[in-house]
Every structure is written in structure tokens, then in C-alpha cells.
Amino acid sequence: MRLAVLTDIHGNAEALTAVLADIAARGCDGMAVLGDIVGYGPDPAWCVDRVRSLGCVTLQGNHDAAIRGSGDDMSTNARLAIDWTRGQLSADQADWLAGLPLTAEMEGLALVHASWQAPADWIYVTGEATAAGSFRASRARLTLCGHVHVPQLYSQDLRGMVAGMRVSIGQAMPLLLTRRWLAVVGSVGQPRDRSPLAAWALVDTTAQEITFRRTPYDCGATALKVRAAGLPEALALRLLGGD
Amino acid sequence: MLRPEKGLTIDGFTLGDPLHEGGFATIWAVTHPLYRTPMILKAPKILDGDDGPTIVGFEIEQMIMPRLTGPHVPRIMGQGGFDSLPYIVQEAIPGHSLQSRFDMGPWALSDLLETAARVAEALAALHAQGAAHLDIKPANILTRETGEMVLIDFGLARHRDLPDLLEEEFRIPMGTYPYIAPEQVLQTRGDPRSDIFALGALLYEMATGRAPFGMPSKMKQLKKRLWLDPVPPRFLRPDLPEWLQEIILRALEVDPERRYQTAAQLRFDLQHPGQVVLTARGRKLKPDGWVTLWKRRRRMRGVTRLGATWARADVPILLVAVDLSPEGEALHDLLITWVRRMLTHQPDARVALVNVIRTAILGLDSGTDAAGQSIHVSRLVALKHWAADLKGGGLDGAGMNGGGLNGGGLDLPEAQLTFQVLENSDAAQAILDHAAQVGADHILMGARGHSTARRYLGSVSAKVVAEAAASVTVIRAPSPGAPSLSAQTTGAPSPGAPG
């Protein structure tokens, strides 16, 4: 099965549209959205409806949870954006976000927004130490998560050693049967690895491969919308530089 | 986890007899109802404690081998992980490795050339797929019944597009010490030219019966490889031809930049000894003196890095097909102008100049013209004369090129410019074959105008364009009636029709 994995869309309609078109062109058997559909971006309601219409496995991220919860533990810009986002969503949309699950398992894959170690604690998997925590908690051959906005691949070998691997974009990476794997999928709507291109991943469970992909979109248009919505300027600039 | 034993069935594969038990792996005969090819199953021995190298080497094989195709690698039928039984099932290649032949001492020259050229062909095929073997030695080379060399044991290999599982694991140079390249000693993993060095070491051993660097077993002995030149093969066997020593020592150059850059180039020289350009390398009869060694040792002490991972990818090979007939003359200056233009964009490109002697389709060619001169040699001389313009040394180099790029002559060093005279009844086929052999990225050639020759022989350039694996640029003189963009080109009168 070829599974397209999207995460951290963050109310970016242009990026989501471009990625969905790219996925349609490449073909896949299923999709999964690992959360943070809203927050930061100017089109949260549109993105909620679009993701809902996909009818695929969809998880809750910390920004989605903050719509009905509190944004107290968030950075200033994130909190300002969440306060603005609440006013953009209908009660039905907010209910849907609040009702999303934190984790899912399918085809031997474990899916989570932040870390399988403690899904509701929103732990950032940013290095081998935090990856090791996830490997300890999960028994899946491949765990997929988001939250960090920087694509990364980790493996745990027979000896229990966890190693980060260089991700090459567009190259199918073999998921060796001798190891267990953790893929941090980059962000669709707000990449932070110095590339403004929308990030997603394609997992092939038959060939046991994962391909990290990047899709260009009109980030300038989204940045203008961020500005027009009165959201913090930094959130607009960030889309242009991918930082 | 399962233990391999006779009769065990896993993923449809049934284990037969154990065939071999090595230090790191066991090999079993294996059958599967869907495959008729004889197959073997390789399972790593999982020993106690930390045997990282075994496991990682096995993982590298699992990762890289399924990506490789063609007759020079064993076909992979299946693999398993540590949840049940770690294994790789691959096609069985019957027969002994080259090791048994190496144990018998020096090779006859014809066998040596034939075998080494086939190994070079296997390396070229591997490198073309983005992989470097990095542990080329006699024991890792098998022979198919059809003659192709098959490379096995990819435990140290590196693939351009895949992560290097060994990169961060171990801090000692990995490879087989008698054959390991200097850049591998300095921990560069992934330069395909390391395989060319190893083949050079094999060639040396085939020619002389002894390994060029002895049988070192310690790291300290290995470091000598950076400055101590091997005894010239002709010192050991004075009857060896100079060209063979030239080939061997060029492949064994310490700096990968000074070696053959592709296995295909090495193969070509093995197949065309008459065209090997002799230098001091081929002629030297004794090892370098102690002053030279001392200076080199001092210089190399500061070198901490050699070679580059997949350097070859950045060095395009430009094949220029030169027509030396009077008819082709009209395009000479234009062709030179275009080569120069391309070299301004890609100053480090390697330029392979070729000329084709069209042999008769039937009957044997004497290879000698009426004056008794070898046609081959005279063509080579003419080709070098042609190239003198490229080097900026030609007497008419500046004057005749009306284009904007004359004046500053491009003086290409020996390693960057090669000349080949090919023989074939079909000129296009000769160019296509040679382009494939040298791994050309771009072919540059002139189009023939309307002529009797073209009418009867067909267009050479059209066939090259249609069939080449490389990009092809066809140079054409502007037609007299066409709107003039021709100020930059020579005013050679040409009927200027499509080639």
C-alpha cells in the first residue's frame, strides 16, 4: 500500500491544495493526516473542511487541541494565532477538531502527532535521545509523526542503537527489515528547514520504503493572507524563508 | 528469532544443505516453488556481544543489492529481518572466485587483459548505477558461464542515493588491506575511483605475481600507501610492455584525480593498448629514490583527505566526434568554437576526441595506406593536430575562429583530453559504442551537408541523436540563405542542409 502522509498543515490552503494535487498526480492508495490542521495560517476553516472531505485517518495536534483547550503553554505568536483561529471556526468544526484521536495504528504503522512516548505531552522528536523515547514506547516497525516541521528519519538497530539519517528529498529510502524506523514528516503548511516548499511523505508498505517529498506552492500568496488577516508579521515571513 | 537449519521454510524458501560457513555468515542452498534459478541464502552469524560490523555489513547488502541490476551482480530474490530470520536470498553463481587463479601466480598477458577488462566492465556497470563496491579483491569476483564478471559481497559498499550505515559507526579504515585505496585509508567512503585503485592492485598482482603493497595487516603499514610508490612492474618482470605498466601505475595513482576517472576508460586502454599514451610512469624501471620519497612523505603528512564521494557526477565527459575528411573541414572551426564554449561553462569537463576509420563491411582492411603508413597512426596524428587549436597552440587558432571565444587558448592537461581512433564499418555505431564505454554525458558532432556520401551512407548524426544515451549537440554551418546569425561562425561555404 502507498500511503501519503501529511502533517502540520496550519491553515495554509495554498500549500494543502498543491500537496493534494501532487499526491493525486503520483497516485496513492490512502492518506493520513497527523494533526495541526489549524494554527498560524490564514485559512483554518477551509483546511478543516478540506481535510474532513478526504475521509482519511486524521489525528489531533497540539494546535487543534488548543482550540477547545488553552494556548497557555504556547509561544506568543502561536497563542495569538490560536485566539484568532477560534473566531474563524464554526462550532461544528471546533467540535470535530476536539474529537480527533491522538494516535492510530494501521498496516503495522504507528501514527502520532508528536511522540508515541506520551502523545498528549507534545514532545518534540528532534534528536536521537527523543527518538529513543519513542522507540521504547512503540513496537511498530515504522512510526510516523510530525510536530517538528523538519523532516528526519531515525532507525533503531538490533543492538538498540538509535541513529539519525540524512534525508534525501525525492529518493525512496529503504526501511531495512533489520531495523525499526521513526519518520518525522515535515510540515505541509509551515516548513522550518530553510526551504519554503511544502513537505510530505509517501510510505510504501509493500516495498518497505519511505520517500520524503517537497512540493512548491505560492507561499507569497499565503504570506499576504497572513498579513491581511492581521496575524503576526513573523508568521508571514516564516513562510517565505522556511525558517 | 529462528536458527537456519536444513528443512526450515521461511517466506516460501526452503533451506537445503549448508554450503559454506564463514567467519561472519553461513550460506545455504535454498529452493522456492516460484523460482527455478539455483539460489543461495546468506544469513549473518549473530555472535554474542557487539558485532556491529557483521550486522551493518549485512544491512548494507540488504539495502544496496536489491537496487542493482544487470549481469554483474547477483540477482536478489528475497530478504528477511531480525523478527524471524535475517537473510538474503540471491541467485547462485557456480564456480570459483578469481582467488583460485590468483593463487597460481602471474597471468599470461592475453588472459590478464581479457579478465581485467571484464572486471572493469563490471565496475563500470556498478558505478553507472550509483554504487561503489569498496572491497574489490579476487575473492569477491565470480565468473558467469557467459563470461561476465559478477561482483559479490557488498558489505562495505556505498550507494550515492542511500545513507551510509557505516559512516558513523566505525573509525578504522574498512576494506581489504592489500587492495584498499589511499582515500579509503583516510576514511573517504564512496569514491568510485577507489574501485579503480583496487583493480589497479589486482592488475599489478596479475602481471607480477605479487601484490603491489605486500600483505599489510596493521594501520601503520597502511599509511605508507600515501607516499610509498610500488616497485614498477617492469622492475620485477622486464618483459612486461611499457603500456601495461602505464595502465597499472595510472590506476594506482595516490590522488584519485590522477587515476583513470572511470572504469570504462581503464577498460578501453586494456582493450586498445596501442593507444595508451606513454609517460614517465610507463617507462620507469626502478622505485623512486629516497629523496623523492622523503619529500613526498613530508608533503603527504599534511594531507588528511583525498577523493570525494561521487566526484565523478560533477565531471561531465564531453565526447567530440571529429570528421577529418576534407568534407568535415568546413565545420572544424565551428566545432572548436563550440567545444570552447562548453568548456567555459564546465572548465573541468573531460574531453574525449574521437575519429572513426570506416572499415569495409566485407573483407579485411590492410590498415595501411598506399604509402605504407598505418592509417590508424596517421589519423591519430591528424586528430592531435586538430586538437592543437583547442589547446590554443594552433597557428591558426586565433585567426580563423571568428567567434567571441578565441584568444585565451584552453590548455587542457593530459588527463582532461583524450584521443581515440575507432574502427567500424558504421561510424554512428562506433561513436555510440564509444560514448557508452567512456560514459559520455554529452556528444558534440558536426552534421554532414548534402553530399554523395551522405546520400549513400545515411546521416551519422541522426543515428547518434536517435540512439545515444547521452545528450547530443549537432553542429551545423548556417545555410547561405538563412537569416544571418552567422557572424560568430566561420564563413565556410556550406550547402548547409540538415545532416
Side-chain angles (χ1 to χ4, degrees), chain A residues 12-23:
Chain A
N12 187 332
E14 288 73 24
L16 179 57
T17 305
V19 167
L20 290 176
D22 199 2
I23 291 169

Side-chain angles (χ1 to χ4, degrees), chain B residues 422-444:
Chain B
L422 312 168
E423 293 176 33
N424 201 312
S425 59
D426 180 344
Q429 198 56 49
I431 293 167
L432 288 166
D433 290 348
H434 191 67
Q437 266 195 355
V438 300
D441 302 283
H442 200 150
I443 301 169
L444 202 57

Side-chain angles (χ1 to χ4, degrees), chain A residues 33-110:
Chain A
V33 177
L34 307 185
D36 277 3
I37 298 153
V38 302
Y40 298 129
D43 289 309
W46 189 91
C47 288
V48 167
D49 289 346
R50 188 75 186 88
V51 170
R52 267 177 107 169
S53 72
L54 296 174
C56 66
V57 173
T58 306
L59 306 180
Q60 188 183 61
N62 51 319
H63 289 254
D64 308 322
I67 295 297
R68 281 283 161 84
S70 93
D72 290 350
D73 50 354
M74 287 180 150
S75 69
T76 312
N77 282 343
R79 199 173 59 244
L80 286 170
I82 280 296
D83 291 343
W84 176 87
T85 301
R86 284 194 191 101
Q88 302 293 311
L89 299 175
S90 69
D92 176 52
Q93 289 167 327
D95 284 345
W96 181 75
L97 286 175
L100 290 173
L102 288 172
T103 62
E105 285 175 281
M106 57 189 291
E107 299 240 348
L109 310 174

Side-chain angles (χ1 to χ4, degrees), chain B residues 231-250:
Chain B
V231 176
R234 277 158 36 77
F235 179 81
L236 301 167
R237 273 189 61 186
D239 59 317
L240 289 176
E242 289 183 337
W243 54 261
L244 181 59
Q245 175 164 307
E246 179 75 36
I247 293 174
I248 294 173
L249 294 185
R250 185 165 172 199

Side-chain angles (χ1 to χ4, degrees), chain A residues 1 9 14 20 57 65 67 72 74 101 114 130-131 137 142 146 150 157 164 217 221:
Chain A
M1 157 176 199
I9 295 159
E14 288 73 24
L20 290 176
V57 173
I67 295 297
D72 290 350
M74 287 180 150
T130 37
L142 171 63
V150 177
D157 69 14
Y217 75 98

